[in-house]
Amino acid sequence: MGTAFDQMEEESDQLAETTTYHMEEQTEPQESEPKSNSVYQPLLKRNRTLSSSPLAIIGTKVSHIESLDYEINENDLFKHDWRSRSRVQVLQYTFLKWLQAFLVGLLTGVTATLINLAVQNIAGYKLLAVFHYIKKKRYMMGFFFMAGVNLLLTLVATVLCVFFAPTAAGPGVPEIKAYLNGVDTPGMYDATTLFVKIIGSIGAVSAGLDLGKEGPLIHIGACIASLIGQGGSDNYQIKWHWIRYFNNDRDRRDIITYGASSGVCAAFNAPVGGVLFSLEEVATWWRSALLWRTFFTTAIVVVVLRAFIDYCKAGDCGLFGEGGLIMFDVSGVSVTYHFVDLIPITVIGIIGGLLGSLYNYLLHKVLRVYSLINEKGRLAKILLSLTVALFTSACQYGLPFLVSCKPCDPSLVDSICPNTGRMGNFKQFNCPKGHYNDLATLLLTTNDDAVRNIFSSNTSTEYQTISLFIFFALYCILGLITFGIAVPSGLFLPILLMGSSYGRMVGIAMEPYAKMDQGLYAVLGAASLMAGSMRMTVSICVIFLELTNNLLLLPITMFVLLIAKSVGDCFIPSIYEIILDLKGLPFLEAHPKPWMRNITVGDLAAVKPPVVTLSGIEKVSRLLDVLRNTTHNGFPVVNNIVVPHVGQVTEVHGLVLRAHLLLMLKKKWLLQERRRTEEWEIRERISCVDVTERWGKIKEVTLTKEETEMYVDLHPLTNTTPYTVVETTSVAKAMVQFREVGLRHMLILPKYSGPAVPPLVGILTRHDLRAHNILSAFPHLEKSHAGRKRH
């Protein structure tokens, strides 16, 4: 990603030099020159010092991005619709919202089950064939078969991602975080991405790569939710028009939140954990109604999963019934711990924080190197994925030969120890009868079974320290080199495997002094590394409690998570924050930088080009001029009105969106003379459903010369209640309000009023509030703050 990110910065600089209009939604102050020049000369003459080119990496492309309109647009049309809604329409709207939540849960649960079924059977039968060759001492044939199948599965996943849906590669969680923060991520939720994500996840996980299906399942849930929310696929013109009312950014944000929660629930069979994951990690904006519907969605997912698990236990799903969904039940283990046990638990927490930070740092470097390789073209991406798959196969197959065989416990029956490939802790591999290879038990199995094996309780003598160390070292390396290749991938399982292995090693070291089961140490190790890398606490804690089905783990799990997150926060941001930064997505953090208290929004407006304003009744030619020569997505509407006993004053009537201007021009809602439109005229030409949708580009508008001399009344579609701040407001305060309300534009009003004072100082957008953009114009801010900290 490094070079792509550098390229993105270079393009941003070039855009700032060559055009002053390439700001996705920036609407800026004006009025010092005649109206005929207000779009051109002032913007071109002024030197831009605040960068405003919204470029980010979406999939593999450096592209322009836009923010989303989460704010309720309180224009005349909206107010009339709100007043005229009957009780039946309100109930119908509410019912459809709950129906959407039900469909998201149902389809996500079914999809997750099918993915699990496919992975368990493809990987299971592959491993059975490999163990069949090993049993006959045909070791090279076993390796060639395993490597060949893994390469084929990886090739399918990579080709689909490279040629059909680049946005399907990776976990997709950072892009979901950005979307719910207010950043549009085009192409992330369409039908092609969903299809490639499903097939690619099956191929990549079945190939034994060190990645999980949990991250992809979150993205899959979001894709399903998005398609349901917008009534089908725009690309393939498959739309359900009865659901068009929800095809707006605000409702789509809610339903994608349901999808993300249902994905986590489907991955871990953890309904409450799924809700808390969205609340803690991905959602920026939350409310009680969203909480209820999200919980309802995850409940539907659990019902679907449980139904399939019960059905498959009869053996009608191939190997799925034996492996099943990812569940590590340790409810039968007695969780007893004393004061002395807090020492190893604290050590596990510290290791998790340190190792998680180191993992994030190294992964950042690897992703930058991979960007250099990926820029060589599609063939380079495919070769990189195949190289990683071949290396993974060689290590998984070859390393078990390095460890010694262990004799089976005499109390175990022969059908359990050893076995020749099915699930369990006793894989015979190359060992004689009555012996098993503990490292093969962890490596030559599916990822779900590997975690199940390493979490297993009452197994204090079944794993050698050297085997656990080799497993830990290998998965550290594989975790770094696998994430970033062009396949759908998740971080949960690799981190979980690494953490559980060092947790069990700590348990072995503490065995003479502590009474806790080694499987519980593995659980705590996995939790600590996830907190150290992803910096989640509450959701991870609940997910692990639902996974292990043991409430007695709650106190020590909380203790480990808090230590690991506290240690990790001292060094480097979370892995998702790093990926967001690498991609250049303008994510607004929850907490502003300390130096943002030292600068006002008026200072930002002073280093930006003047704002382009419109009159309440505007000439069509003027609108075309503005739309063709700017890329702003919001324009303040300013009127000169006469107030009794005061005289003529300038009024900031509100804010009109580019999408609404295009709507009026496309529908040719034009007037012969300069006048206000009547209410019945508005309802006759434009519906509320039309207003919620986006209306393409100015290139698609075709008007005759006579029509360009006509007028458009902007009042009916102007948001008369935009959020505003006074120019003396600190940037920190404005940023908090901007993020928490979910704004796209914020108007800056002057502190003083008077005949010579302009009614509007400027306008703020998401890009203006990003720290590195502000520092590019005011570099002394960070230096002064750093100097104070040193003193």
Side-chain angles (χ1 to χ4, degrees):
M1 278 183 199
T3 302
F5 187 53
D6 297 336
Q7 175 195 350
M8 185 173 66
E9 290 179 332
E10 290 172 12
E11 289 189 25
S12 176
D13 295 339
Q14 291 169 5
L15 280 163
E17 293 170 6
T18 58
T19 175
T20 56
Y21 307 121
H22 226 357
M23 172 61 193
E24 52 108 311
E25 62 227 335
Q26 182 104 3
T27 314
E28 292 128 341
Q30 136 200 351
E31 296 302 328
S32 57
E33 294 196 1
K35 280 192 175 181
S36 60
N37 294 328
S38 61
V39 179
Y40 302 105
Q41 278 84 349
L43 297 182
L44 288 173
K45 286 179 179 178
R46 191 180 183 102
N47 291 324
R48 175 168 294 190
T49 54
L50 188 62
S51 173
S52 57
S53 294
L55 297 169
I57 301 173
I58 306 296
T60 57
K61 294 192 302 183
V62 176
S63 56
H64 294 277
I65 57 170
E66 294 187 359
S67 293
L68 297 164
D69 294 303
Y70 288 156
E71 181 186 356
I72 294 177
N73 199 320
E74 292 188 345
N75 52 43
D76 293 346
L77 198 63
F78 170 83
K79 292 174 183 175
H80 176 268
D81 177 68
W82 192 259
R83 290 193 302 267
S84 61
R85 282 189 191 179
S86 65
R87 184 174 179 82
V88 173
Q89 288 175 312
V90 173
L91 290 174
Q92 181 185 24
Y93 176 82
T94 305
F95 171 75
L96 289 177
K97 292 278 277 189
W98 284 97
L99 178 62
Q100 285 180 330
F102 172 80
L103 291 175
V104 170
L106 177 66
L107 294 178
T108 304
V110 172
T111 304
T113 305
L114 294 177
I115 291 174
N116 277 283
L117 191 152
V119 168
Q120 199 74 20
N121 282 283
I122 294 172
Y125 286 115
K126 174 193 72 177
L127 292 169
L128 285 176
V130 170
F131 280 109
H132 177 72
Y133 285 117
I134 292 174
K135 188 176 181 180
K136 293 186 174 182
K137 308 295 184 182
R138 299 174 65 185
Y139 298 121
M140 291 305 297
M141 189 62 192
F143 170 71
F144 287 136
F145 177 83
M146 178 176 170
V149 173
N150 288 348
L151 288 172
L152 178 62
L153 293 169
T154 305
L155 180 64
V156 171
T158 306
V159 167
L160 286 174
C161 287
V162 169
F163 288 96
F164 297 99
T167 51
V173 177
E175 288 82 358
I176 295 172
K177 278 174 64 76
Y179 187 91
L180 298 180
N181 190 255
V183 182
D184 192 12
T185 47
M188 285 300 299
Y189 310 106
D190 57 32
T192 305
T193 301
L194 174 62
F195 174 78
V196 172
K197 198 81 176 185
I198 293 172
I199 304 301
S201 297
I202 293 171
V205 177
S206 300
L209 296 175
D210 184 22
L211 46 84
K213 56 186 179 295
E214 289 69 32
L217 273 174
I218 299 171
H219 190 187
I220 287 168
C223 288
I224 292 172
S226 176
L227 291 172
I228 291 174
Q230 66 187 18
S233 171
D234 287 322
N235 293 344
Y236 300 102
Q237 302 302 314
I238 303 171
K239 301 285 285 186
W240 300 311
H241 291 284
W242 61 273
I243 212 166
R244 281 181 66 206
Y245 196 84
F246 299 98
N247 193 16
N248 61 79
D249 294 339
R250 189 178 179 87
D251 284 323
R252 200 166 174 227
R253 170 186 62 183
D254 288 354
I255 197 169
I256 285 179
T257 305
Y258 310 157
S261 298
S262 64
V264 176
C265 176
F268 296 105
N269 207 356
V272 180
V275 176
L276 291 176
F277 176 84
S278 288
L279 175 61
E280 180 181 12
E281 183 61 19
V282 296
T284 298
W285 190 83
W286 201 264
R287 68 184 194 280
S288 58
L290 184 62
L291 177 67
W292 275 107
R293 279 193 281 268
T294 304
F295 186 67
F296 172 70
T297 304
T298 57
I300 297 300
V301 175
V302 169
V303 171
V304 173
L305 296 181
R306 180 58 59 186
F308 273 99
I309 290 173
D310 292 341
Y311 173 77
C312 290
K313 280 182 179 177
D316 297 325
C317 302
L319 296 178
F320 180 74
E322 298 193 25
L325 290 156
I326 180 169
M327 291 179 67
F328 320 115
D329 195 330
V330 292
S331 56
V333 180
S334 176
V335 183
T336 56
Y337 44 88
H338 305 284
F339 182 78
V340 69
D341 295 313
L342 294 180
I343 298 174
I345 291 172
T346 304
V347 170
I348 288 175
I350 294 172
I351 293 174
L354 294 174
L355 192 60
S357 298
L358 179 61
Y359 180 78
N360 291 358
Y361 174 79
L362 295 176
L363 190 58
H364 183 197
K365 301 300 181 185
V366 170
L367 291 175
R368 285 191 172 272
V369 172
Y370 276 10
S371 71
L372 298 174
I373 299 172
N374 291 335
E375 283 180 357
K376 303 296 182 183
R378 292 173 172 175
L379 181 61
K381 296 178 184 178
I382 294 172
L383 290 176
L384 176 61
S385 296
L386 294 179
T387 302
V388 171
L390 183 61
F391 177 75
T392 302
S393 300
C395 291
Q396 289 176 337
Y397 189 87
L399 288 177
F401 288 99
L402 301 180
V403 300
S404 58
C405 296
K406 292 196 68 177
C408 292
D409 189 329
S411 62
L412 297 173
V413 296
D414 290 341
S415 61
I416 296 178
C417 182
N419 63 55
T420 56
R422 295 185 183 270
M423 64 180 296
N425 292 359
F426 308 101
K427 298 289 174 66
Q428 185 172 357
F429 195 60
N430 63 329
C431 298
K433 187 176 181 181
H435 291 70
Y436 69 96
N437 190 309
D438 59 339
L439 186 54
T441 298
L442 298 175
L443 291 178
L444 291 177
T445 186
T446 62
N447 284 344
D448 285 4
D449 285 342
V451 179
R452 190 177 289 105
N453 294 340
I454 206 167
F455 273 17
S456 58
S457 57
N458 300 317
T459 53
S460 59
T461 61
E462 291 177 8
Y463 296 102
Q464 305 174 76
T465 304
I466 184 64
S467 298
L468 291 171
F469 180 78
I470 293 173
F471 179 81
F472 169 71
L474 174 63
Y475 270 78
C476 284
I477 296 170
L478 293 180
L480 291 172
I481 66 173
T482 305
F483 189 81
I485 63 175
V487 297
S489 57
L491 285 166
F492 285 94
L493 251 294
I495 291 175
L496 207 139
L497 287 168
M498 285 187 283
S500 57
S501 56
Y502 74 69
R504 189 172 268 272
M505 283 191 284
V506 172
I508 292 175
M510 291 300 299
E511 188 175 11
Y513 314 101
K515 301 297 183 184
M516 243 175 46
D517 190 276
Q518 289 180 19
L520 301 183
Y521 277 109
V523 173
L524 296 177
S528 70
L529 190 56
M530 292 185 82
S533 177
M534 298 180 178
R535 309 294 155 77
M536 294 183 288
T537 52
V538 179
S539 55
I540 292 294
C541 184
V542 174
I543 286 172
F544 270 83
L545 292 181
E546 292 182 290
L547 273 177
T548 56
N549 197 24
N550 196 327
L551 193 61
L552 296 175
L553 281 173
L554 178 62
I556 52 177
T557 304
M558 292 173 62
F559 187 60
V560 162
L561 288 170
L562 290 171
I563 293 175
K565 184 184 185 302
S566 300
V567 172
D569 284 339
C570 296
F571 296 99
I572 195 170
S574 73
I575 187 62
Y576 291 138
E577 290 178 37
I578 290 172
I579 296 172
L580 283 168
D581 185 62
L582 278 173
K583 288 179 173 289
L585 292 166
F587 185 86
L588 289 184
E589 301 291 344
H591 306 289
K593 304 293 182 184
W595 48 261
M596 288 182 175
R597 300 282 177 192
N598 302 330
I599 183 173
T600 66
V601 294
D603 296 329
L604 291 186
V607 295
K608 291 175 56 178
V611 72
V612 178
T613 61
L614 300 173
S615 300
I617 301 173
E618 193 65 75
K619 200 170 185 179
V620 173
S621 58
R622 158 75 173 164
L623 286 183
L624 292 173
D625 206 26
V626 169
L627 293 173
R628 285 169 181 163
N629 294 284
T630 70
T631 57
H632 311 336
N633 282 285
F635 300 91
V637 176
V638 177
N639 288 329
N640 292 320
I641 61 173
V642 177
V643 178
H645 311 297
V646 176
Q648 183 168 309
V649 297
T650 305
E651 167 207 36
V652 179
H653 185 72
L655 189 80
V656 64
L657 299 178
R658 168 181 285 264
H660 294 166
L661 295 178
L662 291 172
L663 167 64
M664 288 186 282
L665 292 177
K666 280 191 173 184
K667 289 201 173 257
K668 298 194 176 182
W669 188 19
L670 311 178
L671 304 172
Q672 293 287 349
E673 68 278 353
R674 183 185 291 269
R675 68 174 178 86
R676 294 286 294 266
T677 51
E678 300 293 336
E679 191 174 283
W680 63 268
E681 292 180 286
I682 303 168
R683 298 196 305 271
E684 207 172 64
R685 302 291 296 273
I686 297 178
S687 70
C688 277
V689 175
D690 292 328
V691 173
T692 61
E693 297 185 357
R694 297 192 177 185
W695 285 86
K697 300 179 180 178
I698 186 60
K699 297 176 184 177
E700 302 168 9
V701 175
T702 56
L703 296 170
T704 65
K705 187 175 181 180
E706 291 75 18
E707 288 171 333
T708 60
E709 297 302 316
M710 298 173 72
Y711 297 90
V712 176
D713 181 12
L714 305 182
H715 293 97
L717 294 184
T718 298
N719 180 9
T720 56
T721 58
Y723 282 86
T724 61
V725 287
V726 182
E727 60 181 322
T728 53
T729 304
S730 71
V731 171
K733 193 171 184 178
M735 177 183 166
V736 170
Q737 181 181 355
F738 199 99
R739 182 184 190 272
E740 291 186 354
V741 180
L743 301 181
R744 186 174 188 177
H745 307 95
M746 178 182 280
L747 300 183
I748 306 173
L749 302 181
K751 181 179 180 181
Y752 304 101
S753 61
V757 179
L760 197 64
V761 175
I763 191 167
L764 286 179
T765 63
R766 168 180 301 274
H767 209 64
D768 301 329
L769 295 171
R770 296 189 68 195
H772 75 85
N773 284 343
I774 299 174
L775 291 176
S776 67
F778 304 95
H780 64 279
L781 288 171
E782 191 172 36
K783 292 177 183 176
S784 63
H785 179 68
R788 283 198 302 273
K789 286 199 296 185
R790 282 195 297 269
H791 294 301

